[in-house]
């Protein structure tokens, strides 16, 4: 754990802190249609035209059911739209590589994945998708699924801030304004910056490069039907293959990467994601990409404080997120820097720790930091192989996702997930001040507790249920490339990533099978939409409540005590559920590593 | 009067409670408490497994036994809480023994069993008759012994009309004759409701209790999922988790501690109120009392002692204070009003003056009349002493009196009078002959300690509003002295009702006390309305609590008891959830040890063996319920220190404590188990 790492970490947090307030203030303007932004001269006419085309009456607000229904319908239609593009890309333009259609299960998985802001990829982008599929079918969702998340968070915050109110805003207005005023302009600037760092942005066919020094690899010999040939000993027959050429993928990368990060989508243009030189060319691009993952989530905490007129509450939530983030980074960094004792014993360990699966340009600290950030927020972009982390290093991303993506989290989703914990913390500890628990003056009653717990239950069910099924079914086991606890971690990670709408993969798991495509697709749908419904019901319930005026007897939702309380609630209620299975996965693996056993 | 609670483990309560703990195993009863129901199912499964087991049978039997104990301990907690109430109820029930009523029909008396009475019947009660049912005195006045319900042996007066007309079935008339109109049929009477409440028979879950039950049930479902999925995960890891072990893990993780104690906390909260002689009509009302943040308090009796008292002698220029005190005392000796008596007492306290020579002095007392608006005393001239004429009275009355005698009303005295008025006092001017001696200051005396009490309430975020019929000037002065946050002067019942509505519209929850019929609308409107037992039947019906002692100060106690109940629930929930950490560290390593011996460092408590670790966690989980029964019944200490301070304190004790205590407890149990070679 070198000084340079500490300095970078400090710089990262300082930068995050610095952009939180400006972002929060801008969010206030975007999310309140009455307010003006400096983009109004350009975008206001466009906004008006959009409403006219969509037939939206912008000043008609919706109650929680209408809002949720609009969101669900929009997501359904856009999901089907993308599914159609993926299946029909052969007939659509911008397909210089002439890629054929995606298989039905993979297309389902991919369409769901992008609709739910998960961006789990069971395919390699550059070898499967046309530019049109990427730019229209997927990028569309990169924008709107992010906008949906932010809109839902805004609706929940309005529910908290309003009182005796039936409505929470208008979904279509939120969707349009977030896309036009927030995501598009920032992405435009961001993409230009990325190009300045050397990121590519073109529509060229892939480039073939002749290797200066051809090399040979030994690969499994395939029969005519594509199946691996087995020798007499039952092992695959290997054959030598000489590689003389390299295909260098091209494409409109910068524009995709901007929204991939800002919208915590994480779906890479390239299969190697942010480890690919074209997707992450410089240390500066790496830093700015990491910042852009957290910026909206962080700004939303300021937006929360500002909107409910208790800025300290917003900062308390921010502090909890930052504390959990720091704890994760430090553990992952420590574990990776410590490295693998077996490698060390054999004298093959890289200096400075575990470098397996890491891009040498980024090294240990920036890999650990990126891994933590991308799993704190449900981004899922990666610049290293989480699968190759040490057991504890890999535990951190897994744990982050299982907490429910609440450490800044997916744009919007992080805030509304965290507010579920706030409500639970207030309820449990609120009784201890001798009053019916109150969150910012609103009594938390049976209905609210029910909805908050329902959201938790959904997450738990879709992770543990599917993972347990995978662990004992032949379809689940078929996809495993690693045995023992590490294989369990891979299964667990896949469904956690799906249900948590993260989208990063532990790799090592062949997810592109009909079974995994379907089950992970379902876990993404459940983790997104079945969680949103109770949360929106909570928003509706909170909005209708009366506010009791604050007094010395009110429950404090700011300050150190509240921060500790919320941390404790997140860890006790959110994490303990996963501890037994984590013990069977990364924790056992960690101890076995010290006994000289690897998987 | 406050009744002493019985000792926590009074044998008369404990013995039936033990039996009841078994009776409560009825699945239909258990189903009401999802957490304990799951525990019971787990215990049953483990029992079956114990019979089927080929290996480790001793261990599984012990597990089963402790799981059953967990359920029984929870039932026991509830049974003890109910038992304590039942003891109260039994004494109440004695009062309800069959009585014969003397019903008036067409002004003829007939004897009917009390059970036949219907609403609107008129009955006669004379000395030694037991009042057959709740009603209102429509004729006569009588002293009534209400010891049956209040425990207070001094009889109280009940009379027709006015605010002391309500009588309660089961109480006894001691003297005189009254006619009562029955207002409540038997079985629905006050005493019946009281018995039902105390016994918890009609106990309905309060809103917070429902919310908490949902939280606990949801946690139970989550942990069931965790334990059920562990089996496939175990199969994957080539580890077989047996059913008893999974049940042990489940029971340790689900919040059995609070699940087992939840109903005991609710019952004992009501019980505590009853011991302070307050009857709540529902647990909901008690809970609402904890939420109250505005208290409407009647000035008289709550904030001030009943009457105005003399508090200072302010002499006129060139008059000695003793002289003024002496004259004032003489003028008041025959004055039997509390104000008059207080002047005598004050003179005695300040100047050691006693009214000794009055009897010999052939004094002639002049009583207060509406015409003169003065009272006083005349001494004839004897033994060389000149005759004395002392008068005391309102300032203008004395002014006229002195003017008539040709005296001067000194401007300094006028100034004193004004000053006293401005400070909320009542000035009483004393004159001897034509000379004005000075002013006696009469004031409402604020009860000792009440100011501190209001300060505490303020710290808890509760606003106090004083209600008084006084003029605004006087009211403001008393309000300032007592330290209330606000006051309503010249308050009418309508104004009170309006104020309550306003406060409620602003999101406040309001509590008030009242006794008269005209208080009834306000009592009904308030979130917590405490009717005085001496009050009218209408008031008692309108409120949701009745104070049997008719002590308005008790409103503050009621609020504290309500808060205490909520705090106890929250603290034990926090404790219960925090306990899980240690249990994980006990059970998870134990479960994995057989397949992955390398996990040994995770066994941070260094527990003896996997079986002893699991058993210790389960035993701790069972015993902690018993250990916390006293706390559940007594309630977590309530201190008026503000929400933040209280949160910090309780988080430290029940949150951090909840994490640490089981580490120690499980380790100790493990030491005992391994020493006894039980596992």
């Amino acid at each position: 754990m070198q000084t340079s790492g500490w300095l970078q970490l400090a710089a990262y947090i300082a930068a995050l802190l610095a952009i939180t307030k400006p972002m929060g203030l801008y969010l206030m303007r975007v999310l309140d249609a009455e307010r003006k932004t400096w983009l109004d001269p350009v975008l206001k006419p466009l906004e008006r035209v959009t409403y006219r085309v969509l037939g939206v009456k912008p000043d008609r607000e919706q109650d929680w059911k209408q809002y949720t229904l609009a969101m669900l319908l929009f997501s359904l239609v856009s999901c089907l739209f993308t599914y159609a593009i993926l299946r029909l890309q052969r007939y659509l333009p911008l397909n210089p590589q002439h890629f054929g259609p995606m298989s039905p299960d993979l297309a389902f998985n991919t369409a769901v994945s992008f609709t739910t802001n998960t961006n789990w990829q069971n395919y390699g982008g550059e070898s499967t998708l046309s530019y049109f599929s990427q730019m229209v079918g997927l990028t569309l969702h990169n924008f709107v699924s992010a906008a949906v998340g932010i809109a839902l968070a805004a609706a929940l915050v309005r529910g908290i801030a309003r009182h005796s109110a039936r409505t929470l805003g208008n979904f279509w207005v939120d969707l349009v304004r977030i896309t036009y005023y927030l995501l598009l302009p920032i992405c435009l600037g961001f993409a230009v910056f990325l190009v300045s760092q050397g990121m590519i942005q073109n529509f060229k066919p892939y480039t073939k490069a002749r290797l200066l020094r051809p090399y040979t690899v030994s690969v499994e010999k395939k029969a005519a039907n594509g199946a691996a040939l087995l020798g007499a000993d039952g092992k695959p027959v290997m054959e030598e293959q000489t590689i003389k050429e390299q295909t260098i993928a091209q494409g409109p990368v910068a524009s995709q990467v901007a929204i991939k990060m800002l919208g915590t989508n994480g779906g890479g243009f390239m299969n190697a994601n942010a480890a690919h030189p074209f997707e992450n060319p410089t240390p500066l691009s790496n830093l700015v990409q990491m910042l852009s993952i957290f910026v909206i989530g962080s700004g939303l905490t300021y937006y929360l404080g500002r909107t409910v007129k208790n800025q300290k509450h917003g900062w308390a939530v921010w502090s909890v997120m930052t504390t959990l983030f720091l704890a994760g980074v430090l553990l992952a960094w420590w574990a990776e820097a410590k490295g693998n004792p077996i490698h060390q014993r054999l004298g093959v360990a890289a200096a400075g720790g575990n470098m397996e699966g890491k891009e040498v340009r980024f090294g240990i600290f920036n890999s650990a930091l990126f891994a933590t950030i991308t799993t704190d927020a449900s981004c899922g972009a990666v610049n290293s192989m989480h699968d190759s982390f040490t057991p504890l290093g890999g535990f951190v991303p897994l744990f982050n996702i299982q907490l429910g993506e609440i450490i800044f989290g997916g744009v919007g989703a992080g805030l509304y997930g965290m507010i579920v914990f706030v409500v639970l913390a207030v309820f449990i500890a609120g009784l201890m001040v001798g009053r019916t628990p109150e969150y910012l003056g609103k009594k938390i009653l049976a209905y609210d507790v029910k909805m908050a717990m329902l959201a938790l239950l959904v997450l738990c069910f879709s992770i543990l249920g599917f993972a347990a099924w995978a662990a004992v079914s032949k379809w689940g086991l078929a996809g495993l490339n690693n045995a023992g606890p590490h294989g369990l971690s891979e299964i667990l990670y896949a469904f956690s990533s799906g249900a948590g709408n993260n989208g990063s993969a532990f790799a090592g798991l062949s997810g592109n099978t009909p079974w995994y495509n379907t089950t992970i697709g379902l876990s993404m749908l459940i983790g997104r939409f079945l969680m949103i419904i109770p949360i929106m019901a909570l928003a509706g319930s909170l909005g209708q409540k009366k506010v009791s005026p604050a007094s010395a007897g009110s429950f404090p939702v700011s300050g150190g005590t509240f921060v500790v309380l919320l941390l404790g609630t997140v860890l006790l209620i959110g994490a303990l559920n996963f501890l037994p299975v984590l013990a069977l996965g990364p924790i056992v693996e960690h101890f076995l590593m010290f006994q000289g056993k690897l998987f | 009067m406050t009744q002493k609670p019985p000792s926590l483990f009074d044998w008369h309560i404990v013995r039936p409670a033990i039996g009841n703990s078994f009776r409560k195993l009825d699945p239909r009863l258990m189903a009401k408490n999802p957490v304990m129901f799951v525990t019971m199912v787990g215990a049953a499964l483990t029992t079956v497994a114990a019979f089927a087991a080929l290996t480790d049978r001793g261990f599984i039997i012990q597990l089963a036994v402790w799981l059953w104990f967990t359920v029984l301990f929870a039932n026991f907690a509830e049974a003890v809480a109910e038992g304590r109430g039942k003891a109260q109820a039994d004494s109440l029930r004695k009062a309800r023994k069959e009585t014969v009523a003397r019903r008036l029909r067409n002004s003829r008396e007939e004897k009917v069993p009390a059970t036949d009475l219907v609403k609107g019947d008129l009955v006669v009660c004379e000395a030694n008759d037991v009042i057959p049912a709740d009603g209102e005195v429509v004729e006569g006045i009588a002293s009534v012994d209400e010891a049956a319900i209040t425990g207070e042996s001094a009889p109280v007066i009940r009379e027709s009309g006015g605010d002391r007309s309500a009588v309660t079935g089961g109480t006894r008339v001691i003297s005189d004759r009254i006619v009562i109109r029955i207002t409540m049929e038997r079985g629905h009477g006050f005493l019946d409701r009281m018995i039902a409440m105390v016994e918890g028979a009609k106990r309905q879950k309060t809103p917070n209790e429902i919310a908490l039950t949902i939280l606990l049930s949801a946690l139970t479902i989550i942990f069931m999922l965790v334990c059920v999925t562990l089996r496939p995960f175990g199969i994957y890891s080539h580890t077989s988790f047996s059913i008893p072990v999974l049940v042990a893990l489940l029971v340790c993780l689900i919040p059995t501690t609070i699940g087992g104690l939840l109903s005991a906390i609710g019952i004992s909260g009501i019980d505590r109120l009853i011991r302070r002689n307050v009857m709540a009509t529902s647990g909901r009302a008690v809970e609402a009392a904890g939420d109250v943040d505005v208290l409407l308090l009647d000035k008289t009796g709550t904030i001030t002692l009943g009457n105005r008292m003399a508090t200072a002698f302010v002499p006129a220029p060139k008059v000695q204070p003793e002289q003024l005190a002496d004259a004032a005392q003489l003028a008041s000796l025959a004055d039997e009003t509390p104000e008059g008596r207080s002047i005598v007492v004050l003179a005695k306290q300040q100047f050691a003056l006693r009214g000794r020579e009055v009897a010999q002095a052939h004094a002639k007392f002049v009583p207060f009349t509406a015409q003169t608006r003065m009272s006083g005393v005349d001494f004839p001239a004897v033994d060389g002493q000149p005759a004395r004429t002392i008068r005391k009275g309102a300032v203008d009355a004395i002014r006229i009196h002195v003017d008539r005698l040709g005296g001067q009303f000194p401007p300094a005295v006028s100034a004193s009078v004004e000053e006293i008025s401005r400070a909320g006092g009542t000035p009483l001017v004393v004159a001897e002959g034509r000379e004005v001696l000075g002013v006696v200051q009469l004031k409402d005396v604020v009860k000792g300690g009440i100011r501190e009490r209001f300060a505490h309430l303020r710290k808890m975020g509760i606003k106090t509003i004083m209600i008084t019929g006084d003029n605004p000037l006087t009211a403001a002065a008393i309000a300032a002295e007592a330290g209330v946050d606000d006051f309503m002067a010249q308050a009418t019942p309508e104004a009170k009702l309006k104020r309550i509505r306003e406060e409620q519209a602003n999101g406040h929850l309001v509590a008030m006390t009242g006794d008269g019929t005209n208080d009834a609308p306000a009592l009904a409107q308030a979130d917590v309305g405490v009717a005085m037992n001496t009050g009218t039947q209408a008031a008692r019906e309108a409120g949701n609590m009745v104070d049997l002692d008719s002590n308005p100060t008790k409103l503050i106690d009621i609020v504290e008891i309500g808060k205490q109940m909520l705090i106890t629930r929250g603290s034990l929930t926090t404790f219960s959830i925090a306990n899980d950490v240690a249990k994980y560290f006990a059970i998870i390593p134990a479960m994995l040890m057989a397949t992955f011996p390398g996990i040994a460092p995770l066994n941070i408590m260094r527990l003896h063996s996997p079986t002893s670790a699991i058993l210790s966690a389960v035993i701790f989980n069972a015993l902690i319920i018993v250990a916390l029964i006293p706390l559940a019944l007594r309630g977590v200490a309530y201190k008026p220190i503000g929400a933040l301070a209280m949160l910090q304190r309780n988080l430290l004790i029940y949150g951090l404590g909840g994490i640490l205590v089981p580490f120690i407890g499980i380790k100790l149990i493990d030491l005992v188990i391994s020493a006894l070679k039980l596992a």
Side-chain angles (χ1 to χ4, degrees), chain B residues 16-294:
Chain B
I18 292 174
N20 282 332
S21 330
F22 285 93
R23 225 160 285 139
K24 283 171 184 285
L25 289 177
D26 182 338
R28 283 165 302 179
L29 295 177
M30 292 297 295
K32 287 182 187 159
N33 184 341
V35 181
M36 295 323 290
F37 185 75
V38 168
T39 311
M40 188 173 80
V41 172
L45 276 178
T46 312
T47 311
V48 174
F51 283 111
L54 301 172
T55 55
D56 279 342
R57 182 175 266 179
F59 164 68
I60 298 172
I61 290 175
Q62 290 187 63
L63 264 188
V65 168
W66 282 105
L67 290 175
W68 283 113
F69 268 133
T70 312
V71 182
L72 287 172
F73 288 162
N75 287 349
F76 177 71
E78 190 180 83
V80 167
E82 285 172 356
R84 284 153 64 89
K86 214 162 261 161
Q88 293 257 104
D90 287 343
S91 67
L92 289 172
R93 205 172 272 124
K94 279 190 203 123
R96 211 180 50 169
K97 53 187 180 272
E98 278 317 302
T99 42
V100 176
R102 297 159 60 187
R103 183 164 65 183
L104 279 180
R105 270 275 160 90
N106 310 323
S107 51
R108 268 224 317 268
E109 228 181 272
E110 53 183 15
K111 296 208 168 180
V112 293
T115 40
D116 288 359
L117 290 175
V118 293
K119 227 173 179 172
D121 278 354
L122 293 176
V123 295
V124 180
C125 286
E126 279 178 325
N128 277 328
D129 283 346
V130 171
I131 295 173
D134 290 6
E136 207 161 357
V137 180
V138 290
E139 189 187 315
I141 174 168
S143 59
V144 178
D145 173 11
E146 295 196 333
I149 53 167
T150 62
E152 186 70 72
S153 54
V156 293
I157 300 295
R158 291 286 177 257
E159 60 187 334
S160 62
D163 289 345
R164 292 187 297 178
S165 61
V167 286
T168 308
T171 56
R172 183 181 294 274
V173 175
I174 297 185
S175 69
D176 306 293
R177 174 182 186 275
I178 45 176
V179 178
I180 300 162
R181 183 190 295 118
I182 303 301
T183 53
M184 205 45 88
E185 273 162 46
R186 226 177 142 76
H188 305 282
F190 190 63
L191 207 57
D192 302 284
R193 272 189 293 158
M194 200 157 158
I195 291 169
M197 267 312 284
V198 196
E199 285 192 320
K202 284 198 192 147
R203 210 176 79 81
Q204 282 183 330
K205 283 187 176 159
T206 60
N208 276 313
E209 219 174 339
I210 294 170
L212 200 50
T213 307
I214 288 172
L215 177 87
L216 301 180
S217 308
L219 284 176
T220 306
I221 295 172
I222 289 180
F223 285 123
M224 276 167 69
L225 180 75
V226 168
C227 292
V228 167
T229 53
L230 258 188
R231 221 170 139 83
F233 289 131
I235 293 170
Y236 170 91
S237 309
H238 308 292
T239 317
S240 162
F241 298 130
S242 69
I243 299 233
V245 169
L246 286 177
V247 167
L249 178 66
L250 175 65
V251 170
C252 284
L253 295 187
I254 62 177
T256 48
T257 313
I258 180 66
L261 295 172
L262 191 57
S263 58
I265 295 170
I267 296 170
S268 62
I270 292 175
D271 190 49
R272 269 199 298 280
L273 263 189
I274 290 168
R275 277 176 214 295
R276 303 232 188 153
N277 276 346
V278 177
M279 269 294 312
T281 52
S282 67
R284 210 189 178 97
V286 187
E287 207 173 83
D291 282 343
V292 157
D293 54 0
V294 172

Side-chain angles (χ1 to χ4, degrees), chain B residues 462-480:
Chain B
I462 297 171
K463 186 164 88 170
T464 44
I465 301 176
M466 182 181 84
I467 309 285
T468 172
D470 292 341
N471 64 57
L473 203 68
T474 313
I478 297 166

